[in-house]
Amino acid sequence: MKRFLLLIFFLSGVTGLTYEVLIFRKFKLLFGITSYSTSLVFTIFLAGLGLGALVGGLLCRKISKPSTLLSVYAASEIVAGIIGMLLPAYFSVIDSIYTHIDASGLIIKCLLAFPGTGLLATILGLGLPLVIHATREPGRTGC
């Protein structure tokens, strides 16, 4: 059971990195400048993963039953998959908005890029605390 869960968690990480690469490529097309898109993707993903880990840690304090934590983890992965499927539509919407913003509106472009990708990264960040807390041995400290 534990090995299977770790395999699922590993595959989730691979999926998260794939999302990151795809979002980076789309931002490169939207922004036209690689340094801006790279900085924005890393900022959004690190902020989202950190926020997700914080929320996941708070959930670990409230939920002590491992099966419930694993259910929350499974639900978060399903939601992440749904958001991942909706990202192309989100990008087409912000792409149509970007055409009306000139180069001086870089901050507006960054703010428009944050919600969809930040939500995905936040949900992906929930996983680590939930998996660690669900698989830890009884009586051990931590998480």
Side-chain angles (χ1 to χ4, degrees):
M1 166 70 175
K2 202 177 219 183
R3 288 181 191 255
F4 179 71
L5 182 61
L6 292 177
L7 174 67
I8 296 294
F9 187 68
F10 172 77
L11 293 175
S12 170
V14 170
T15 305
L17 288 173
T18 304
Y19 283 135
E20 189 174 355
V21 169
L22 293 174
I23 290 169
F24 166 71
R25 289 179 183 254
K26 184 61 179 176
F27 280 8
K28 193 166 79 169
L29 292 173
L30 291 174
F31 286 95
I33 302 170
T34 307
S35 61
Y36 289 157
S37 60
T38 303
S39 301
L40 188 61
V41 168
F42 286 146
T43 301
I44 289 173
F45 260 82
L46 288 177
L49 290 174
L51 181 62
L54 176 68
V55 171
L58 293 173
L59 284 173
C60 286
R61 291 176 187 229
K62 299 221 182 278
I63 304 170
S64 60
K65 194 173 176 187
S67 61
T68 306
L69 288 171
L70 292 178
S71 297
V72 172
Y73 173 64
S76 71
E77 291 298 317
I78 291 169
V79 170
I82 292 169
I83 292 172
M85 288 189 291
L86 294 175
L87 275 181
Y90 176 74
F91 285 139
S92 66
V93 168
I94 63 172
D95 190 25
S96 65
I97 295 171
Y98 280 4
T99 57
H100 302 295
I101 300 172
D102 61 354
S104 64
L106 183 63
I107 294 175
I108 296 170
K109 288 182 176 184
C110 291
L111 291 175
L112 286 173
F114 196 82
T117 53
L119 181 62
L120 175 65
T122 301
I123 290 175
L124 289 173
L126 284 172
L128 182 63
L130 295 175
V131 169
I132 288 174
H133 193 74
T135 59
R136 74 178 180 161
E137 298 170 15
R140 292 198 54 179
T141 58
C143 191

